[in-house]
């Protein structure tokens, strides 16, 4: 059986990985925002349905990433609460 210190160290290592994942999610959201702006500039004035669909899908992707980030924040909080009880 692992000691309390070992469990806390393992949780801390996992939380570091979560932090790295959060940074990657934030970077992905930033890139999607840039892509959406570039797409809007390139296709300004186009009434084509495909353009609207592309914008909608990029917005959905951003929302999904935001939800993912929120889930990681809750996971971190739960893990920290757990280790606080050890």
């Amino acid at each position: 059986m692992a000691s309390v210190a070992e469990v806390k160290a393992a949780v801390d290592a996992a939380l570091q990985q979560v932090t790295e994942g959060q940074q990657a999610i934030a970077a992905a959201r930033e890139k999607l925002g840039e892509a959406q702006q570039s797409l809007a500039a390139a296709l300004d004035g186009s009434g084509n349905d495909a353009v609207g669909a592309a914008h909608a899908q990029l917005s959905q992707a951003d929302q999904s990433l935001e939800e993912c980030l929120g889930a990681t924040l809750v996971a971190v909080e739960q893990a920290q609460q757990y280790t606080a009880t050890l």
Side-chain angles (χ1 to χ4, degrees):
M1 177 131 186
S3 71
V4 171
E6 291 170 328
V7 170
K8 286 184 177 185
V11 170
D12 286 344
L15 293 181
Q16 178 58 39
Q17 291 174 324
V18 172
T19 298
E20 292 168 9
Q22 289 169 331
Q23 292 167 346
I25 292 167
R29 288 189 70 203
E30 184 177 330
K31 284 295 182 185
L32 282 176
E34 292 170 6
Q36 195 161 23
Q37 289 176 353
S38 295
L39 184 63
L43 303 173
D44 186 37
S46 175
N48 190 294
D49 289 343
V51 173
H55 284 292
Q57 290 301 312
L58 287 173
S59 292
Q60 178 62 42
D62 181 62
Q63 184 176 349
S64 294
L65 288 173
E66 183 177 5
E67 291 170 4
C68 180
L69 187 57
T72 65
L73 293 172
V74 172
V76 167
E77 182 178 297
Q78 294 296 316
Q80 289 173 334
Q81 286 177 3
Y82 172 73
T83 57
T85 65
L86 295 178

